Amino acid sequence: METIQLLLMLLGVVAFLVVLIGLFFSEIVPLIALAVVVVAGIAVWILNATPAGRRNSARDEAEAARQARIREREAVRAEQERQDALAREAAEAAQTLRRAVRQLLEGLPERGAPQEEAIAYCLSSTSAARNPRVQAEAERLARRHVAVDERILCVALSETGGSAKRPALLILTDRAAAVSDKGTSYRYDPDPDDVTEGWGLQVGDLLFSFVANPRLWIALAAREEAAALPAPAAPPVGRPEPRLIRTAREAELIAVDWMRYLGFTDAVATPVGADEGIDVISERGLAQVKMEGSPTTRPTVQQLHGVATAKEKEALFFSLAGYTPPAAAWASQHGIALFQYDRQGTPQAVNTPALRLLETADARASQPAEGDHGSDA
């Protein structure tokens, strides 16, 4: 029966073609062919309506359904194999990244090591390794915006639009980052949304690509693990060396050094023009630095106290011209440490809170390092 149906269908197709072709040559032939098409179609319908035809149709439907299930299973198996391959690739990539992170952390200088040493190590594997300008700029940026107890993980250069444009500089640490661009520097906290996997770190309009800075991607992955590493018990550094102060920014930077010496080891300078008059900030304290020709007045000290109270931090004040008597009295009453510095950046304690901080820092610095014991002659 299937053969008969196939022949009838073939006959119908041939007759239909004859109808189309015969329209151009004769009027009778198309009519005869059309009749053949109709008769063949009726015959096929009758055959399909018989029990045998219905069985054939059911068998064809079952076979089509079976083939569809086979194709579906093959598609599912192919998708599963693709997912397994992607999972293996992801696992291998994660393992490779973990090894790279471990290697990076093992090679970095210890926390508390000189920032120059950490920067030199981070630049050693880059194209700027022998560029003294980049090294010097990175050191200035770290001194302004990276605390001494932060661990520097990477130094990166931004992509540029042309060879004449100097690239921006990025220092990534275990707690934050610092950026220097077109003479302006600031502290920056990377956000996960700023990282484009496989592409780079976007900081505003700046792009620090992973292609140009291969260690940057590893350093971003290492930040959490690096922050969890214990800090070595290093002896405090000595008093900062005197240096000539010519600008207000230089005064703020020397205040950073002195705050670190006083025990605020994570002190960093705030960006130029920061709100609320805060020039130096750390986890426990903040400071304002004035380089003016007249003594600092009580309202200015009170304003600093208000900001420090709101932020739950200890307040320090550094002034070149000193303080008015009401300002000094009010600050002593409210526990604000007042320092007056000279043109060489050396501060003198003006009140009791400042004197206590200075004496404690001097005593800490004078203590021998752990394990540094004398021996009997």
Side-chain angles (χ1 to χ4, degrees):
M1 179 171 291
E2 292 180 358
T3 304
I4 297 175
Q5 289 178 326
L6 182 60
L7 292 174
L8 289 173
M9 292 174 63
L10 182 60
L11 178 62
V13 171
V14 172
F16 181 74
L17 293 175
V18 171
V19 171
L20 296 178
I21 297 172
L23 290 174
F24 300 97
F25 302 101
S26 172
E27 296 180 357
I28 305 260
V29 172
L31 294 176
I32 297 173
L34 182 61
V36 172
V37 170
V38 173
V39 171
I42 294 173
V44 170
W45 178 81
I46 293 173
L47 290 175
N48 287 333
T50 63
R54 288 196 296 271
R55 285 195 299 271
N56 290 337
S57 299
R59 185 172 66 251
D60 292 341
E61 292 175 359
E63 178 63 19
R66 188 178 73 83
Q67 293 297 330
R69 288 193 298 271
I70 292 174
R71 289 192 296 270
E72 183 179 355
R73 286 196 298 268
E74 290 177 349
V76 171
R77 183 167 58 252
E79 178 63 21
Q80 185 62 46
E81 291 176 353
R82 190 180 72 85
Q83 294 293 338
D84 292 343
L86 291 176
R88 285 194 299 270
E89 291 177 2
E92 292 174 359
Q95 186 176 4
T96 301
L97 181 60
R98 284 194 298 270
R99 286 197 299 266
V101 166
R102 185 167 59 251
Q103 183 178 1
L104 172 66
L105 296 179
E106 290 174 353
L108 285 174
E110 291 187 356
R111 189 192 307 275
Q115 292 179 333
E116 295 81 1
E117 179 183 343
I119 290 170
Y121 173 80
C122 291
L123 288 174
S124 61
S125 61
T126 69
S127 59
R130 298 183 180 180
N131 190 330
R133 181 189 62 79
V134 174
Q135 174 81 22
E137 185 177 352
E139 291 175 4
R140 287 194 298 270
L141 179 61
R143 186 170 169 273
R144 291 179 179 180
H145 299 292
V146 176
V148 293
D149 63 340
E150 287 184 80
R151 205 162 195 190
I152 296 177
L153 304 178
C154 179
V155 178
L157 297 174
S158 71
E159 294 289 309
T160 59
S163 58
K165 181 181 177 183
R166 287 177 56 178
L169 189 68
L170 169 78
I171 296 179
L172 184 71
T173 76
D174 57 352
R175 293 206 298 266
V179 177
S180 175
D181 178 36
K182 300 176 183 176
T184 302
S185 64
Y186 53 91
R187 191 170 172 88
Y188 158 73
D189 292 323
D191 189 276
D193 293 338
D194 298 336
V195 181
T196 304
E197 186 173 353
W199 184 247
L201 175 65
Q202 192 79 35
V203 183
D205 295 332
L206 301 174
L207 173 65
F208 297 89
S209 74
F210 298 143
V211 175
N213 306 282
R215 185 177 286 178
L216 180 57
W217 173 245
I218 302 172
L220 286 167
R223 295 184 69 219
E224 184 175 350
E225 189 172 343
L229 293 176
V237 297
R239 282 194 170 203
E241 293 291 333
R243 62 178 183 273
L244 180 63
I245 294 179
R246 292 161 295 188
T247 65
R249 189 59 175 174
E250 289 178 346
E252 294 170 4
L253 296 179
I254 192 65
V256 170
D257 291 344
W258 276 98
M259 277 194 65
R260 293 175 178 178
Y261 174 75
L262 294 173
F264 304 89
T265 57
D266 59 341
V268 294
T270 59
V272 176
D275 295 337
E276 303 175 312
I278 304 305
D279 300 308
V280 184
I281 193 165
S282 74
E283 182 70 23
R284 296 187 298 107
L286 50 81
Q288 188 170 359
V289 183
K290 287 292 185 182
M291 190 177 178
E292 298 176 344
S294 58
T296 300
T297 60
R298 185 175 70 178
T300 304
V301 175
Q302 289 175 327
Q303 181 182 6
L304 175 66
H305 178 262
V307 175
T309 301
K311 295 182 178 294
E312 298 181 349
K313 296 181 185 292
E314 190 172 344
L316 295 84
F317 212 114
F318 295 83
S319 175
L320 178 65
Y323 307 85
T324 63
W330 195 91
S332 298
Q333 181 181 357
H334 291 83
I336 301 174
L338 301 182
F339 294 93
Q340 182 176 358
Y341 63 91
D342 57 22
R343 285 288 179 175
Q344 294 298 319
T346 303
Q348 299 293 329
V350 173
N351 61 356
T352 301
L355 182 61
R356 288 174 182 167
L357 280 176
L358 197 56
E359 289 177 343
T360 301
D362 288 340
R364 183 170 57 243
S366 64
Q367 293 177 355
E370 184 177 351
D372 185 14
H373 304 290
S375 59
D376 293 334

